[in-house]
Amino acid sequence: MDVPEVLNTIKTGHEFLRNVTCLNDEQIWTSGEAGDIKCFNIQGVLQKLIKIKSGEFPYDIAVDRDGALLHSDWENKAVYEVKNGQTEEIIRLQGWIPCDLCITSSGDLLVTMLKNDKTQSKVVRYSGSSVEQTVQFDEEGQPLYSGNGKIKYISENRNLDICVADCMAGSVVVVNQAGNLRFRYTGHSLATKNKRLPYGITTDSHSNMLTADSDNHCIHILDTDGQFLRYIDNCDLSYPYGMCVDNNDSLFVCEYSEGNVKKIKYMK
């Protein structure tokens, strides 16, 4: 079994660091609970800083296939694209708040969103600014995701499953490409960890899912069918939050309170 190893720690200076996404193998974008987004190289040198127009913190960030930065703005109920120094609104919602973002392998945008009154949540797939799919209910008409204002990070797996870490439900909810429920992961049955609330989620080249267990300061690794494989719990993580995996299967993890991004090698 591979022993996870911290390769580097990037001090971002963000207060309450929430999000990290890979621009390429040499650079990452980060954001916290402040009105800016920062780009660092993997040595931790600040490359660029973008101010959010609304002044509010971005709920999430993502990078599209052209390298453009996307961010969701809960105050304006919009998603913006930042490219060549210019910011453009690409999605504007009515009655719903855009939250967490994921660019799919086909170039679509997946957005978790919550109703204004925070009683419902759903996932919407966009192609450009056009809605292509809405995922909200299972085959019995029951909500797939909990209705509240808590964070719901999202990722697409290599088998095209849509994976959502539903924090308040205490589960990872996985549906297939058509939006049909495959499984819920609520924790390892033999776990010695306390009950946890999943925060960040990402996937790797082996179609494994990695989800941040902030309360227990560790990462759960699951296989494509939701079976627990192992923990990353030896890297002195402090409140892991948002995560991403680069093309080399290096894991980048936000430490919420510390404001650090740790780069972790967890497989050969």
Side-chain angles (χ1 to χ4, degrees), residues 15-42:
E15 185 175 7
F16 306 122
L17 179 64
R18 297 168 62 101
N19 306 306
V20 60
T21 189
C22 295
L23 175 59
N24 49 49
D25 290 339
E26 298 296 325
Q27 295 174 302
I28 58 172
W29 285 105
T30 63
S31 67
E33 294 182 11
D36 57 35
I37 305 173
K38 299 176 182 179
C39 180
F40 293 89
N41 65 20
I42 55 176

PDB file of all heavy atoms in Angstrom, residues 15-42:
ATOM      1  N   GLU A  15      -8.000  33.888   4.336  1.00  0.00           N
ATOM      2  CA  GLU A  15      -8.707  33.616   5.571  1.00  0.00           C
ATOM      3  C   GLU A  15      -9.838  32.635   5.269  1.00  0.00           C
ATOM      4  O   GLU A  15     -10.672  32.894   4.413  1.00  0.00           O
ATOM      5  CB  GLU A  15      -9.269  34.903   6.170  1.00  0.00           C
ATOM      6  CG  GLU A  15      -9.909  34.709   7.530  1.00  0.00           C
ATOM      7  CD  GLU A  15     -10.352  36.020   8.151  1.00  0.00           C
ATOM      8  OE1 GLU A  15     -10.284  37.052   7.455  1.00  0.00           O
ATOM      9  OE2 GLU A  15     -10.762  36.010   9.323  1.00  0.00           O
ATOM     10  N   PHE A  16      -9.841  31.512   5.967  1.00  0.00           N
ATOM     11  CA  PHE A  16     -10.837  30.461   5.748  1.00  0.00           C
ATOM     12  C   PHE A  16     -10.812  29.985   4.289  1.00  0.00           C
ATOM     13  O   PHE A  16     -11.692  30.274   3.495  1.00  0.00           O
ATOM     14  CB  PHE A  16     -12.232  30.926   6.159  1.00  0.00           C
ATOM     15  CG  PHE A  16     -12.289  31.433   7.575  1.00  0.00           C
ATOM     16  CD1 PHE A  16     -12.717  32.725   7.844  1.00  0.00           C
ATOM     17  CD2 PHE A  16     -11.883  30.619   8.616  1.00  0.00           C
ATOM     18  CE1 PHE A  16     -12.742  33.191   9.149  1.00  0.00           C
ATOM     19  CE2 PHE A  16     -11.918  31.084   9.929  1.00  0.00           C
ATOM     20  CZ  PHE A  16     -12.358  32.377  10.203  1.00  0.00           C
ATOM     21  N   LEU A  17      -9.770  29.252   3.980  1.00  0.00           N
ATOM     22  CA  LEU A  17      -9.516  28.756   2.630  1.00  0.00           C
ATOM     23  C   LEU A  17     -10.515  27.661   2.271  1.00  0.00           C
ATOM     24  O   LEU A  17     -10.622  26.648   2.961  1.00  0.00           O
ATOM     25  CB  LEU A  17      -8.088  28.223   2.551  1.00  0.00           C
ATOM     26  CG  LEU A  17      -7.627  27.631   1.222  1.00  0.00           C
ATOM     27  CD1 LEU A  17      -7.623  28.697   0.135  1.00  0.00           C
ATOM     28  CD2 LEU A  17      -6.239  27.025   1.376  1.00  0.00           C
ATOM     29  N   ARG A  18     -11.252  27.860   1.189  1.00  0.00           N
ATOM     30  CA  ARG A  18     -12.328  26.932   0.815  1.00  0.00           C
ATOM     31  C   ARG A  18     -12.027  26.125  -0.439  1.00  0.00           C
ATOM     32  O   ARG A  18     -12.395  24.956  -0.523  1.00  0.00           O
ATOM     33  CB  ARG A  18     -13.630  27.711   0.569  1.00  0.00           C
ATOM     34  CG  ARG A  18     -14.171  28.428   1.766  1.00  0.00           C
ATOM     35  CD  ARG A  18     -15.272  29.394   1.366  1.00  0.00           C
ATOM     36  NE  ARG A  18     -16.411  28.718   0.776  1.00  0.00           N
ATOM     37  CZ  ARG A  18     -17.544  28.462   1.441  1.00  0.00           C
ATOM     38  NH1 ARG A  18     -17.671  28.807   2.708  1.00  0.00           N
ATOM     39  NH2 ARG A  18     -18.557  27.871   0.832  1.00  0.00           N
ATOM     40  N   ASN A  19     -11.386  26.743  -1.431  1.00  0.00           N
ATOM     41  CA  ASN A  19     -11.355  26.148  -2.762  1.00  0.00           C
ATOM     42  C   ASN A  19      -9.967  26.158  -3.376  1.00  0.00           C
ATOM     43  O   ASN A  19      -9.212  27.116  -3.230  1.00  0.00           O
ATOM     44  CB  ASN A  19     -12.301  26.915  -3.708  1.00  0.00           C
ATOM     45  CG  ASN A  19     -13.714  27.010  -3.157  1.00  0.00           C
ATOM     46  OD1 ASN A  19     -14.320  26.007  -2.813  1.00  0.00           O
ATOM     47  ND2 ASN A  19     -14.239  28.229  -3.050  1.00  0.00           N
ATOM     48  N   VAL A  20      -9.671  25.070  -4.094  1.00  0.00           N
ATOM     49  CA  VAL A  20      -8.462  24.991  -4.901  1.00  0.00           C
ATOM     50  C   VAL A  20      -8.807  24.255  -6.182  1.00  0.00           C
ATOM     51  O   VAL A  20      -9.577  23.286  -6.172  1.00  0.00           O
ATOM     52  CB  VAL A  20      -7.313  24.285  -4.146  1.00  0.00           C
ATOM     53  CG1 VAL A  20      -7.686  22.861  -3.751  1.00  0.00           C
ATOM     54  CG2 VAL A  20      -6.027  24.287  -4.973  1.00  0.00           C
ATOM     55  N   THR A  21      -8.272  24.734  -7.305  1.00  0.00           N
ATOM     56  CA  THR A  21      -8.462  24.046  -8.582  1.00  0.00           C
ATOM     57  C   THR A  21      -7.197  24.200  -9.401  1.00  0.00           C
ATOM     58  O   THR A  21      -6.502  25.219  -9.319  1.00  0.00           O
ATOM     59  CB  THR A  21      -9.686  24.605  -9.338  1.00  0.00           C
ATOM     60  OG1 THR A  21      -9.974  23.792 -10.469  1.00  0.00           O
ATOM     61  CG2 THR A  21      -9.456  26.034  -9.810  1.00  0.00           C
ATOM     62  N   CYS A  22      -6.867  23.175 -10.160  1.00  0.00           N
ATOM     63  CA  CYS A  22      -5.623  23.173 -10.929  1.00  0.00           C
ATOM     64  C   CYS A  22      -5.816  23.907 -12.249  1.00  0.00           C
ATOM     65  O   CYS A  22      -6.731  23.594 -13.022  1.00  0.00           O
ATOM     66  CB  CYS A  22      -5.173  21.741 -11.195  1.00  0.00           C
ATOM     67  SG  CYS A  22      -4.736  20.814  -9.716  1.00  0.00           S
ATOM     68  N   LEU A  23      -4.960  24.878 -12.500  1.00  0.00           N
ATOM     69  CA  LEU A  23      -4.932  25.518 -13.811  1.00  0.00           C
ATOM     70  C   LEU A  23      -4.167  24.630 -14.786  1.00  0.00           C
ATOM     71  O   LEU A  23      -4.576  24.444 -15.936  1.00  0.00           O
ATOM     72  CB  LEU A  23      -4.285  26.900 -13.701  1.00  0.00           C
ATOM     73  CG  LEU A  23      -4.059  27.670 -15.003  1.00  0.00           C
ATOM     74  CD1 LEU A  23      -5.375  27.893 -15.742  1.00  0.00           C
ATOM     75  CD2 LEU A  23      -3.366  29.004 -14.714  1.00  0.00           C
ATOM     76  N   ASN A  24      -3.058  24.081 -14.327  1.00  0.00           N
ATOM     77  CA  ASN A  24      -2.245  23.127 -15.093  1.00  0.00           C
ATOM     78  C   ASN A  24      -1.374  22.395 -14.073  1.00  0.00           C
ATOM     79  O   ASN A  24      -1.617  22.484 -12.873  1.00  0.00           O
ATOM     80  CB  ASN A  24      -1.419  23.848 -16.177  1.00  0.00           C
ATOM     81  CG  ASN A  24      -0.671  25.049 -15.612  1.00  0.00           C
ATOM     82  OD1 ASN A  24       0.004  24.949 -14.591  1.00  0.00           O
ATOM     83  ND2 ASN A  24      -0.797  26.197 -16.270  1.00  0.00           N
ATOM     84  N   ASP A  25      -0.364  21.683 -14.538  1.00  0.00           N
ATOM     85  CA  ASP A  25       0.490  20.939 -13.612  1.00  0.00           C
ATOM     86  C   ASP A  25       1.433  21.832 -12.814  1.00  0.00           C
ATOM     87  O   ASP A  25       2.108  21.364 -11.890  1.00  0.00           O
ATOM     88  CB  ASP A  25       1.306  19.889 -14.372  1.00  0.00           C
ATOM     89  CG  ASP A  25       0.440  18.757 -14.894  1.00  0.00           C
ATOM     90  OD1 ASP A  25      -0.671  18.567 -14.361  1.00  0.00           O
ATOM     91  OD2 ASP A  25       0.876  18.058 -15.837  1.00  0.00           O
ATOM     92  N   GLU A  26       1.475  23.113 -13.149  1.00  0.00           N
ATOM     93  CA  GLU A  26       2.411  24.028 -12.491  1.00  0.00           C
ATOM     94  C   GLU A  26       1.727  25.130 -11.691  1.00  0.00           C
ATOM     95  O   GLU A  26       2.390  25.829 -10.919  1.00  0.00           O
ATOM     96  CB  GLU A  26       3.324  24.678 -13.542  1.00  0.00           C
ATOM     97  CG  GLU A  26       4.202  23.694 -14.303  1.00  0.00           C
ATOM     98  CD  GLU A  26       5.199  22.994 -13.393  1.00  0.00           C
ATOM     99  OE1 GLU A  26       5.695  23.640 -12.442  1.00  0.00           O
ATOM    100  OE2 GLU A  26       5.477  21.798 -13.619  1.00  0.00           O
ATOM    101  N   GLN A  27       0.404  25.293 -11.853  1.00  0.00           N
ATOM    102  CA  GLN A  27      -0.282  26.411 -11.204  1.00  0.00           C
ATOM    103  C   GLN A  27      -1.635  25.984 -10.656  1.00  0.00           C
ATOM    104  O   GLN A  27      -2.310  25.112 -11.232  1.00  0.00           O
ATOM    105  CB  GLN A  27      -0.489  27.562 -12.195  1.00  0.00           C
ATOM    106  CG  GLN A  27       0.807  28.213 -12.681  1.00  0.00           C
ATOM    107  CD  GLN A  27       0.541  29.235 -13.768  1.00  0.00           C
ATOM    108  OE1 GLN A  27      -0.022  28.918 -14.803  1.00  0.00           O
ATOM    109  NE2 GLN A  27       0.931  30.477 -13.506  1.00  0.00           N
ATOM    110  N   ILE A  28      -2.036  26.634  -9.553  1.00  0.00           N
ATOM    111  CA  ILE A  28      -3.349  26.403  -8.964  1.00  0.00           C
ATOM    112  C   ILE A  28      -4.034  27.744  -8.693  1.00  0.00           C
ATOM    113  O   ILE A  28      -3.377  28.762  -8.480  1.00  0.00           O
ATOM    114  CB  ILE A  28      -3.258  25.616  -7.640  1.00  0.00           C
ATOM    115  CG1 ILE A  28      -2.372  26.357  -6.621  1.00  0.00           C
ATOM    116  CG2 ILE A  28      -2.754  24.191  -7.887  1.00  0.00           C
ATOM    117  CD1 ILE A  28      -2.390  25.757  -5.227  1.00  0.00           C
ATOM    118  N   TRP A  29      -5.363  27.727  -8.725  1.00  0.00           N
ATOM    119  CA  TRP A  29      -6.179  28.855  -8.273  1.00  0.00           C
ATOM    120  C   TRP A  29      -6.730  28.522  -6.895  1.00  0.00           C
ATOM    121  O   TRP A  29      -7.086  27.369  -6.630  1.00  0.00           O
ATOM    122  CB  TRP A  29      -7.345  29.115  -9.220  1.00  0.00           C
ATOM    123  CG  TRP A  29      -7.010  29.775 -10.519  1.00  0.00           C
ATOM    124  CD1 TRP A  29      -6.944  29.188 -11.748  1.00  0.00           C
ATOM    125  CD2 TRP A  29      -6.744  31.159 -10.735  1.00  0.00           C
ATOM    126  NE1 TRP A  29      -6.640  30.118 -12.716  1.00  0.00           N
ATOM    127  CE2 TRP A  29      -6.518  31.346 -12.113  1.00  0.00           C
ATOM    128  CE3 TRP A  29      -6.670  32.272  -9.883  1.00  0.00           C
ATOM    129  CZ2 TRP A  29      -6.229  32.584 -12.669  1.00  0.00           C
ATOM    130  CZ3 TRP A  29      -6.386  33.522 -10.437  1.00  0.00           C
ATOM    131  CH2 TRP A  29      -6.161  33.664 -11.816  1.00  0.00           C
ATOM    132  N   THR A  30      -6.830  29.527  -6.027  1.00  0.00           N
ATOM    133  CA  THR A  30      -7.360  29.315  -4.685  1.00  0.00           C
ATOM    134  C   THR A  30      -8.318  30.448  -4.323  1.00  0.00           C
ATOM    135  O   THR A  30      -8.205  31.570  -4.829  1.00  0.00           O
ATOM    136  CB  THR A  30      -6.239  29.278  -3.631  1.00  0.00           C
ATOM    137  OG1 THR A  30      -5.576  30.550  -3.593  1.00  0.00           O
ATOM    138  CG2 THR A  30      -5.229  28.182  -3.928  1.00  0.00           C
ATOM    139  N   SER A  31      -9.267  30.151  -3.419  1.00  0.00           N
ATOM    140  CA  SER A  31     -10.148  31.196  -2.900  1.00  0.00           C
ATOM    141  C   SER A  31     -10.601  30.828  -1.502  1.00  0.00           C
ATOM    142  O   SER A  31     -10.659  29.655  -1.129  1.00  0.00           O
ATOM    143  CB  SER A  31     -11.366  31.412  -3.808  1.00  0.00           C
ATOM    144  OG  SER A  31     -12.227  30.288  -3.794  1.00  0.00           O
ATOM    145  N   GLY A  32     -10.915  31.871  -0.726  1.00  0.00           N
ATOM    146  CA  GLY A  32     -11.406  31.682   0.630  1.00  0.00           C
ATOM    147  C   GLY A  32     -12.596  32.569   0.876  1.00  0.00           C
ATOM    148  O   GLY A  32     -13.327  32.918  -0.054  1.00  0.00           O
ATOM    149  N   GLU A  33     -12.779  32.958   2.132  1.00  0.00           N
ATOM    150  CA  GLU A  33     -13.942  33.780   2.475  1.00  0.00           C
ATOM    151  C   GLU A  33     -13.563  35.257   2.454  1.00  0.00           C
ATOM    152  O   GLU A  33     -13.690  35.990   3.444  1.00  0.00           O
ATOM    153  CB  GLU A  33     -14.513  33.327   3.815  1.00  0.00           C
ATOM    154  CG  GLU A  33     -15.080  31.911   3.726  1.00  0.00           C
ATOM    155  CD  GLU A  33     -15.714  31.406   5.002  1.00  0.00           C
ATOM    156  OE1 GLU A  33     -15.914  32.203   5.935  1.00  0.00           O
ATOM    157  OE2 GLU A  33     -16.003  30.198   5.066  1.00  0.00           O
ATOM    158  N   ALA A  34     -13.081  35.682   1.288  1.00  0.00           N
ATOM    159  CA  ALA A  34     -12.745  37.075   1.016  1.00  0.00           C
ATOM    160  C   ALA A  34     -12.966  37.310  -0.473  1.00  0.00           C
ATOM    161  O   ALA A  34     -13.071  36.359  -1.258  1.00  0.00           O
ATOM    162  CB  ALA A  34     -11.306  37.384   1.418  1.00  0.00           C
ATOM    163  N   GLY A  35     -13.034  38.559  -0.859  1.00  0.00           N
ATOM    164  CA  GLY A  35     -13.428  38.897  -2.224  1.00  0.00           C
ATOM    165  C   GLY A  35     -12.307  38.865  -3.233  1.00  0.00           C
ATOM    166  O   GLY A  35     -12.187  39.788  -4.055  1.00  0.00           O
ATOM    167  N   ASP A  36     -11.464  37.838  -3.203  1.00  0.00           N
ATOM    168  CA  ASP A  36     -10.409  37.713  -4.204  1.00  0.00           C
ATOM    169  C   ASP A  36     -10.110  36.242  -4.487  1.00  0.00           C
ATOM    170  O   ASP A  36     -10.471  35.356  -3.729  1.00  0.00           O
ATOM    171  CB  ASP A  36      -9.136  38.452  -3.779  1.00  0.00           C
ATOM    172  CG  ASP A  36      -8.589  37.986  -2.425  1.00  0.00           C
ATOM    173  OD1 ASP A  36      -8.702  36.779  -2.115  1.00  0.00           O
ATOM    174  OD2 ASP A  36      -8.058  38.818  -1.680  1.00  0.00           O
ATOM    175  N   ILE A  37      -9.459  36.021  -5.621  1.00  0.00           N
ATOM    176  CA  ILE A  37      -9.024  34.691  -6.045  1.00  0.00           C
ATOM    177  C   ILE A  37      -7.542  34.817  -6.402  1.00  0.00           C
ATOM    178  O   ILE A  37      -7.140  35.767  -7.082  1.00  0.00           O
ATOM    179  CB  ILE A  37      -9.827  34.191  -7.255  1.00  0.00           C
ATOM    180  CG1 ILE A  37     -11.335  34.237  -6.960  1.00  0.00           C
ATOM    181  CG2 ILE A  37      -9.414  32.767  -7.640  1.00  0.00           C
ATOM    182  CD1 ILE A  37     -12.200  33.927  -8.178  1.00  0.00           C
ATOM    183  N   LYS A  38      -6.741  33.853  -5.944  1.00  0.00           N
ATOM    184  CA  LYS A  38      -5.297  33.936  -6.148  1.00  0.00           C
ATOM    185  C   LYS A  38      -4.797  32.750  -6.959  1.00  0.00           C
ATOM    186  O   LYS A  38      -5.281  31.624  -6.790  1.00  0.00           O
ATOM    187  CB  LYS A  38      -4.565  33.964  -4.807  1.00  0.00           C
ATOM    188  CG  LYS A  38      -4.911  35.140  -3.914  1.00  0.00           C
ATOM    189  CD  LYS A  38      -4.206  35.043  -2.567  1.00  0.00           C
ATOM    190  CE  LYS A  38      -4.578  36.186  -1.643  1.00  0.00           C
ATOM    191  NZ  LYS A  38      -3.920  36.078  -0.315  1.00  0.00           N
ATOM    192  N   CYS A  39      -3.808  33.016  -7.808  1.00  0.00           N
ATOM    193  CA  CYS A  39      -3.117  31.979  -8.559  1.00  0.00           C
ATOM    194  C   CYS A  39      -1.694  31.860  -8.029  1.00  0.00           C
ATOM    195  O   CYS A  39      -0.981  32.862  -7.903  1.00  0.00           O
ATOM    196  CB  CYS A  39      -3.091  32.331 -10.042  1.00  0.00           C
ATOM    197  SG  CYS A  39      -2.247  31.110 -11.081  1.00  0.00           S
ATOM    198  N   PHE A  40      -1.298  30.616  -7.692  1.00  0.00           N
ATOM    199  CA  PHE A  40       0.051  30.335  -7.215  1.00  0.00           C
ATOM    200  C   PHE A  40       0.703  29.293  -8.120  1.00  0.00           C
ATOM    201  O   PHE A  40       0.018  28.431  -8.680  1.00  0.00           O
ATOM    202  CB  PHE A  40       0.027  29.750  -5.797  1.00  0.00           C
ATOM    203  CG  PHE A  40      -0.449  30.698  -4.744  1.00  0.00           C
ATOM    204  CD1 PHE A  40      -1.794  30.785  -4.432  1.00  0.00           C
ATOM    205  CD2 PHE A  40       0.450  31.496  -4.047  1.00  0.00           C
ATOM    206  CE1 PHE A  40      -2.245  31.651  -3.444  1.00  0.00           C
ATOM    207  CE2 PHE A  40       0.011  32.372  -3.061  1.00  0.00           C
ATOM    208  CZ  PHE A  40      -1.338  32.449  -2.764  1.00  0.00           C
ATOM    209  N   ASN A  41       2.043  29.366  -8.229  1.00  0.00           N
ATOM    210  CA  ASN A  41       2.729  28.217  -8.809  1.00  0.00           C
ATOM    211  C   ASN A  41       2.927  27.191  -7.697  1.00  0.00           C
ATOM    212  O   ASN A  41       2.653  27.461  -6.525  1.00  0.00           O
ATOM    213  CB  ASN A  41       4.044  28.614  -9.492  1.00  0.00           C
ATOM    214  CG  ASN A  41       5.087  29.154  -8.525  1.00  0.00           C
ATOM    215  OD1 ASN A  41       5.041  28.933  -7.311  1.00  0.00           O
ATOM    216  ND2 ASN A  41       6.069  29.871  -9.068  1.00  0.00           N
ATOM    217  N   ILE A  42       3.356  25.991  -8.064  1.00  0.00           N
ATOM    218  CA  ILE A  42       3.413  24.918  -7.068  1.00  0.00           C
ATOM    219  C   ILE A  42       4.561  25.108  -6.078  1.00  0.00           C
ATOM    220  O   ILE A  42       4.649  24.374  -5.096  1.00  0.00           O
ATOM    221  CB  ILE A  42       3.493  23.523  -7.734  1.00  0.00           C
ATOM    222  CG1 ILE A  42       4.675  23.441  -8.695  1.00  0.00           C
ATOM    223  CG2 ILE A  42       2.185  23.197  -8.430  1.00  0.00           C
ATOM    224  CD1 ILE A  42       4.851  22.062  -9.291  1.00  0.00           C
TER     225      ILE A  42
END
